Each structure stands twice: as C-alpha cells, then as structure tokens.
Amino acid sequence: MKVAIIDYGSGNLRSAAKAFERAAREAHLAADILVTSEPEALRAADRIVLPGVGAFGDCAAGLRAIPGMEDALNEEVRAKAKPFFGICVGMQLMAERGLEHGVHEGLGWLKGEVVKIEPADRSLKIPHMGWNELEMLRPHPLLEAMPATHAYFVHSYAFAVAEPDALVARVDYAGPIAAMVARDNMAGTQFHPEKSQELGLALIGNFLKWKP
C-alpha cells in the first residue's frame, strides 16, 4: 500500500508521517508512507493525506502554487475515488471557501465555509487549543473500535458544514464545532490524529484499512 502525504509547505509532516508509520505497524499493514510535493506521486498512491497548519488562505495558495497538484487531487480523489484524509486545515480545504483574512476558495468538495470561532462564553480563549471529548453523530468506519474519545485540537477557525449528513463528529467549545466530516471516499478531522495518542493511532489505522 502506498500512502501519499502532501507536502505543500503547511503541516506537521514529520509527526504525521511517523504517526502513519506507527499505525501501519500496529495494524500489521505493509505500507509505504511517502511525503511528497509531486502530483505524479498522488497518481501512484493508493491513499492520499492532506495535512495543514496555519491560515486557510496561505494553505490554499501553497497547494495551488504546486503546478498540477489541485488537478491531481481532483482526479485521484474525486474522479478515481481514492481514500482521502484531511487533517486540520487540510480538512478545512475541503470546504467551498474560507473566511480567514479575506475570502479564499477551497477545493469545494463539501458545501460550507470555514469561519472564525465565536464562543458564546467570552472567557474561552481563541485559538481553541487542547484536549476535548468528541461527540459522535453517526457511525463511520474511521471511528470504529475507538479506544478513547478525546482528541487534540488547535485552531481559531472551524468548518461550518452546510450538509448535515457530512458531519460525523463534533466537539463543544461553548457551542458545537465540526470535529470530523466525511462523504463517500473522503474524510477529514479538525483535530490532529498525530497528536491524539490512542484515538489518533486507531483512527489512522482505520483509514489505512478503509475500503469506501
């Protein structure tokens, strides 16, 4: 199995790659984990991962700055239906647009916008950072047999999902925030599985075995 983790200048690539390698070992799966900025590598991969750290607009621009990368993503994920996993801003990029420091176009794979977190309780700090318990809204293969329910978040903007059936899990931070989205062969988490210890490794292992 070949797993392509996209390097476009935004993401904890080393920690993400190590988490995928460890999850593959623990699941007894033979997996070649490749961090790459080459669109051709996506075409050779069996599964595709899009990490992301920072501002939505910067991440969108960085992705589009790689010639052919957006086209390869759309071809391999949307047309060929390869399993796809987005992490943090990588998940947010699945949205139609992001409203962080202006309006920035996303990949448009799921309807909705990425908006600033505005907690009703003004004493809550932004960014939303730390461990929170997930509220599972519907079953999904990536969440099967979870050994824990807490995940690690760090973000100031959140995906306001316009399609309720695409929302898999949420977290409460003085109001509901999308924690996981999924549709067909695509899934993404606002939290960082590579930092979420047991839950994160189990989720990654499920992704490596997922046959959507």
Side-chain angles (χ1 to χ4, degrees):
M1 179 198 311
K2 294 183 179 179
V3 181
I5 299 177
I6 301 174
D7 177 5
Y8 60 109
S10 299
N12 294 323
L13 300 176
R14 179 175 174 80
S15 59
K18 287 197 169 296
F20 273 78
E21 290 167 357
R22 179 178 172 184
R25 285 195 307 271
E26 293 187 0
H28 306 291
L29 297 171
D32 181 12
I33 312 298
L34 176 67
V35 175
T36 180
S37 58
E38 298 294 332
E40 284 303 315
L42 273 61
R43 298 184 171 95
D46 302 297
R47 296 166 192 273
I48 296 170
V49 179
L50 183 65
V53 172
F56 185 103
D58 292 342
C59 289
L63 190 65
R64 293 185 169 115
I66 302 174
M69 183 59 81
E70 186 175 11
D71 288 342
L73 264 173
N74 280 309
E75 179 183 332
E76 300 304 309
V77 177
R78 299 305 303 277
K80 295 184 180 178
K82 289 181 179 178
F84 169 89
F85 186 61
I87 300 172
C88 197
V89 182
M91 175 269 255
Q92 294 180 359
L93 288 172
M94 298 165 71
E96 294 174 290
R97 64 191 63 85
L99 307 182
E100 186 172 0
H101 309 305
V103 179
H104 309 279
E105 293 303 309
L107 292 168
W109 294 352
L110 295 175
K111 291 183 179 180
E113 300 177 331
V114 176
V115 300
K116 189 174 182 179
I117 300 172
E118 300 280 5
D121 182 350
R122 295 299 177 180
S123 69
L124 292 175
K125 294 181 179 179
I126 301 298
H128 168 215
M129 183 183 299
W131 292 87
N132 286 94
E133 185 168 5
L134 301 181
E135 178 188 356
M136 314 300 186
L137 300 178
R138 65 178 177 88
H140 192 276
L142 267 62
L143 295 178
E144 286 183 359
M146 287 291 103
T149 57
H150 285 76
Y152 186 82
F153 292 80
V154 53
H155 62 122
S156 299
Y157 284 73
F159 191 169
V161 184
E163 303 167 281
D165 63 336
L167 188 59
V168 175
R170 65 189 176 194
V171 65
D172 180 32
Y173 194 66
I177 291 173
M180 179 174 171
V181 298
R183 166 153 295 157
D184 303 325
N185 59 304
M186 305 175 293
T189 60
Q190 182 62 67
F191 59 88
H192 287 267
E194 76 278 11
K195 296 181 180 179
S196 295
Q197 299 178 7
E198 287 185 336
L199 179 145
L201 288 172
L203 187 149
I204 293 170
N206 285 341
F207 172 72
L208 294 174
K209 293 179 283 188
W210 187 30
K211 296 180 180 179

mmCIF file of all heavy atoms in Angstrom, residues 5 18 21 32-33 38 44 59-60 64 66 79 82 98 115 127 141 145 154 163 169 173 180 194:
data_model
loop_
_atom_site.group_PDB
_atom_site.id
_atom_site.type_symbol
_atom_site.label_atom_id
_atom_site.label_comp_id
_atom_site.label_asym_id
_atom_site.label_seq_id
_atom_site.Cartn_x
_atom_site.Cartn_y
_atom_site.Cartn_z
ATOM 1 N N ILE A 5 1.453 11.595 1.568
ATOM 2 C CA ILE A 5 1.167 12.737 2.435
ATOM 3 C C ILE A 5 1.678 13.972 1.707
ATOM 4 O O ILE A 5 2.878 14.090 1.425
ATOM 5 C CB ILE A 5 1.852 12.593 3.803
ATOM 6 C CG1 ILE A 5 1.348 11.338 4.525
ATOM 7 C CG2 ILE A 5 1.602 13.830 4.652
ATOM 8 C CD1 ILE A 5 2.018 11.078 5.865
ATOM 9 N N LYS A 18 5.319 9.897 10.831
ATOM 10 C CA LYS A 18 5.673 8.923 11.872
ATOM 11 C C LYS A 18 4.425 8.277 12.474
ATOM 12 O O LYS A 18 4.421 7.087 12.799
ATOM 13 C CB LYS A 18 6.521 9.597 12.949
ATOM 14 C CG LYS A 18 7.946 9.898 12.486
ATOM 15 C CD LYS A 18 8.866 10.164 13.647
ATOM 16 C CE LYS A 18 10.319 10.182 13.205
ATOM 17 N NZ LYS A 18 10.756 8.870 12.686
ATOM 18 N N GLU A 21 3.235 5.733 9.982
ATOM 19 C CA GLU A 21 4.122 4.561 10.002
ATOM 20 C C GLU A 21 3.839 3.692 11.226
ATOM 21 O O GLU A 21 3.771 2.458 11.125
ATOM 22 C CB GLU A 21 5.582 5.019 9.997
ATOM 23 C CG GLU A 21 6.016 5.630 8.666
ATOM 24 C CD GLU A 21 7.339 6.372 8.760
ATOM 25 O OE1 GLU A 21 7.894 6.454 9.891
ATOM 26 O OE2 GLU A 21 7.809 6.873 7.726
ATOM 27 N N ASP A 32 3.843 1.892 2.523
ATOM 28 C CA ASP A 32 4.929 2.800 2.148
ATOM 29 C C ASP A 32 4.393 4.223 2.322
ATOM 30 O O ASP A 32 3.533 4.658 1.539
ATOM 31 C CB ASP A 32 5.339 2.528 0.702
ATOM 32 C CG ASP A 32 6.486 3.430 0.248
ATOM 33 O OD1 ASP A 32 7.103 4.095 1.112
ATOM 34 O OD2 ASP A 32 6.744 3.490 -0.971
ATOM 35 N N ILE A 33 4.876 4.920 3.351
ATOM 36 C CA ILE A 33 4.402 6.279 3.660
ATOM 37 C C ILE A 33 5.353 7.278 3.006
ATOM 38 O O ILE A 33 6.522 7.355 3.357
ATOM 39 C CB ILE A 33 4.339 6.529 5.173
ATOM 40 C CG1 ILE A 33 3.623 5.375 5.890
ATOM 41 C CG2 ILE A 33 3.673 7.863 5.461
ATOM 42 C CD1 ILE A 33 2.191 5.156 5.492
ATOM 43 N N GLU A 38 4.985 16.049 -5.263
ATOM 44 C CA GLU A 38 4.878 15.707 -6.685
ATOM 45 C C GLU A 38 3.468 15.218 -7.020
ATOM 46 O O GLU A 38 3.019 14.193 -6.476
ATOM 47 C CB GLU A 38 5.890 14.611 -7.037
ATOM 48 C CG GLU A 38 7.337 15.008 -6.844
ATOM 49 C CD GLU A 38 7.769 16.112 -7.801
ATOM 50 O OE1 GLU A 38 7.187 16.199 -8.910
ATOM 51 O OE2 GLU A 38 8.667 16.888 -7.432
ATOM 52 N N ALA A 44 0.277 7.556 -8.257
ATOM 53 C CA ALA A 44 0.829 6.232 -7.942
ATOM 54 C C ALA A 44 0.384 5.728 -6.579
ATOM 55 O O ALA A 44 0.591 4.559 -6.263
ATOM 56 C CB ALA A 44 2.358 6.289 -8.002
ATOM 57 N N CYS A 59 -2.655 28.231 3.134
ATOM 58 C CA CYS A 59 -2.623 26.819 2.767
ATOM 59 C C CYS A 59 -3.183 26.609 1.363
ATOM 60 O O CYS A 59 -2.623 25.847 0.568
ATOM 61 C CB CYS A 59 -3.402 25.993 3.784
ATOM 62 S SG CYS A 59 -2.584 25.855 5.389
ATOM 63 N N ALA A 60 -4.290 27.282 1.060
ATOM 64 C CA ALA A 60 -4.877 27.166 -0.277
ATOM 65 C C ALA A 60 -3.909 27.660 -1.337
ATOM 66 O O ALA A 60 -3.730 27.031 -2.395
ATOM 67 C CB ALA A 60 -6.192 27.943 -0.336
ATOM 68 N N ARG A 64 -2.001 25.448 -4.344
ATOM 69 C CA ARG A 64 -2.172 25.822 -5.754
ATOM 70 C C ARG A 64 -0.877 26.312 -6.391
ATOM 71 O O ARG A 64 -0.788 26.428 -7.608
ATOM 72 C CB ARG A 64 -3.268 26.875 -5.882
ATOM 73 C CG ARG A 64 -4.640 26.305 -5.516
ATOM 74 C CD ARG A 64 -5.786 27.265 -5.742
ATOM 75 N NE ARG A 64 -7.048 26.542 -5.606
ATOM 76 C CZ ARG A 64 -7.949 26.776 -4.654
ATOM 77 N NH1 ARG A 64 -7.737 27.739 -3.758
ATOM 78 N NH2 ARG A 64 -9.069 26.058 -4.592
ATOM 79 N N ILE A 66 1.806 24.642 -6.379
ATOM 80 C CA ILE A 66 2.473 23.464 -6.949
ATOM 81 C C ILE A 66 1.788 23.123 -8.259
ATOM 82 O O ILE A 66 0.611 22.739 -8.273
ATOM 83 C CB ILE A 66 2.399 22.261 -5.985
ATOM 84 C CG1 ILE A 66 3.030 22.609 -4.643
ATOM 85 C CG2 ILE A 66 3.080 21.044 -6.607
ATOM 86 C CD1 ILE A 66 2.861 21.524 -3.588
ATOM 87 N N ALA A 79 -12.465 11.876 -9.016
ATOM 88 C CA ALA A 79 -12.779 11.046 -10.186
ATOM 89 C C ALA A 79 -12.495 9.564 -9.942
ATOM 90 O O ALA A 79 -13.315 8.708 -10.272
ATOM 91 C CB ALA A 79 -12.001 11.547 -11.401
ATOM 92 N N LYS A 82 -10.088 7.556 -4.709
ATOM 93 C CA LYS A 82 -9.104 7.015 -3.772
ATOM 94 C C LYS A 82 -9.413 7.522 -2.364
ATOM 95 O O LYS A 82 -9.843 8.664 -2.199
ATOM 96 C CB LYS A 82 -7.686 7.445 -4.173
ATOM 97 C CG LYS A 82 -7.167 6.777 -5.431
ATOM 98 C CD LYS A 82 -5.759 7.220 -5.755
ATOM 99 C CE LYS A 82 -5.248 6.523 -7.015
ATOM 100 N NZ LYS A 82 -3.879 6.990 -7.385
ATOM 101 N N GLY A 98 -12.913 29.732 2.569
ATOM 102 C CA GLY A 98 -12.517 30.088 3.915
ATOM 103 C C GLY A 98 -12.588 31.588 4.093
ATOM 104 O O GLY A 98 -12.227 32.340 3.173
ATOM 105 N N VAL A 115 -15.190 29.444 9.110
ATOM 106 C CA VAL A 115 -15.465 30.730 9.759
ATOM 107 C C VAL A 115 -14.746 30.815 11.109
ATOM 108 O O VAL A 115 -14.354 29.800 11.694
ATOM 109 C CB VAL A 115 -16.979 30.928 9.966
ATOM 110 C CG1 VAL A 115 -17.709 30.905 8.630
ATOM 111 C CG2 VAL A 115 -17.549 29.849 10.891
ATOM 112 N N PRO A 127 -6.923 30.822 20.068
ATOM 113 C CA PRO A 127 -7.414 29.576 19.474
ATOM 114 C C PRO A 127 -7.940 28.556 20.487
ATOM 115 O O PRO A 127 -7.546 28.561 21.652
ATOM 116 C CB PRO A 127 -6.187 29.022 18.757
ATOM 117 C CG PRO A 127 -5.019 29.594 19.489
ATOM 118 C CD PRO A 127 -5.457 30.964 19.905
ATOM 119 N N PRO A 141 -16.637 4.199 9.450
ATOM 120 C CA PRO A 141 -15.565 3.200 9.565
ATOM 121 C C PRO A 141 -14.290 3.726 10.225
ATOM 122 O O PRO A 141 -13.584 2.964 10.893
ATOM 123 C CB PRO A 141 -15.303 2.796 8.108
ATOM 124 C CG PRO A 141 -16.600 3.035 7.410
ATOM 125 C CD PRO A 141 -17.179 4.244 8.065
ATOM 126 N N ALA A 145 -14.314 1.042 16.875
ATOM 127 C CA ALA A 145 -13.486 0.490 17.955
ATOM 128 C C ALA A 145 -12.478 1.502 18.495
ATOM 129 O O ALA A 145 -11.301 1.187 18.714
ATOM 130 C CB ALA A 145 -12.762 -0.763 17.472
ATOM 131 N N VAL A 154 -6.156 22.360 17.888
ATOM 132 C CA VAL A 154 -5.545 23.690 17.948
ATOM 133 C C VAL A 154 -5.960 24.445 16.682
ATOM 134 O O VAL A 154 -5.456 24.179 15.606
ATOM 135 C CB VAL A 154 -4.008 23.640 18.131
ATOM 136 C CG1 VAL A 154 -3.338 22.770 17.077
ATOM 137 C CG2 VAL A 154 -3.417 25.044 18.139
ATOM 138 N N GLU A 163 -23.988 20.734 4.915
ATOM 139 C CA GLU A 163 -24.678 19.476 4.647
ATOM 140 C C GLU A 163 -24.629 18.617 5.911
ATOM 141 O O GLU A 163 -23.594 18.026 6.213
ATOM 142 C CB GLU A 163 -24.006 18.741 3.491
ATOM 143 C CG GLU A 163 -23.940 19.554 2.206
ATOM 144 C CD GLU A 163 -23.005 18.933 1.187
ATOM 145 O OE1 GLU A 163 -21.783 19.104 1.339
ATOM 146 O OE2 GLU A 163 -23.499 18.283 0.261
ATOM 147 N N ALA A 169 -18.728 13.954 13.477
ATOM 148 C CA ALA A 169 -18.495 14.178 14.905
ATOM 149 C C ALA A 169 -18.291 15.667 15.146
ATOM 150 O O ALA A 169 -17.859 16.400 14.256
ATOM 151 C CB ALA A 169 -17.272 13.395 15.386
ATOM 152 N N TYR A 173 -17.324 23.691 22.265
ATOM 153 C CA TYR A 173 -16.457 24.720 22.827
ATOM 154 C C TYR A 173 -17.320 25.976 22.951
ATOM 155 O O TYR A 173 -17.238 26.894 22.136
ATOM 156 C CB TYR A 173 -15.242 24.951 21.929
ATOM 157 C CG TYR A 173 -14.127 25.747 22.603
ATOM 158 C CD1 TYR A 173 -13.432 25.222 23.692
ATOM 159 C CD2 TYR A 173 -13.769 27.007 22.142
ATOM 160 C CE1 TYR A 173 -12.427 25.930 24.308
ATOM 161 C CE2 TYR A 173 -12.749 27.730 22.750
ATOM 162 C CZ TYR A 173 -12.086 27.184 23.843
ATOM 163 O OH TYR A 173 -11.074 27.903 24.453
ATOM 164 N N MET A 180 -15.219 16.190 12.762
ATOM 165 C CA MET A 180 -14.925 15.257 11.671
ATOM 166 C C MET A 180 -16.017 15.347 10.625
ATOM 167 O O MET A 180 -17.203 15.430 10.948
ATOM 168 C CB MET A 180 -14.812 13.823 12.190
ATOM 169 C CG MET A 180 -14.535 12.808 11.087
ATOM 170 S SD MET A 180 -14.236 11.141 11.740
ATOM 171 C CE MET A 180 -14.233 10.208 10.192
ATOM 172 N N GLU A 194 -2.331 12.818 14.718
ATOM 173 C CA GLU A 194 -0.931 12.528 15.035
ATOM 174 C C GLU A 194 -0.549 13.003 16.436
ATOM 175 O O GLU A 194 0.497 12.613 16.963
ATOM 176 C CB GLU A 194 -0.003 13.144 13.976
ATOM 177 C CG GLU A 194 0.212 14.638 14.056
ATOM 178 C CD GLU A 194 -0.888 15.476 13.419
ATOM 179 O OE1 GLU A 194 -1.960 14.914 13.082
ATOM 180 O OE2 GLU A 194 -0.678 16.686 13.261
#
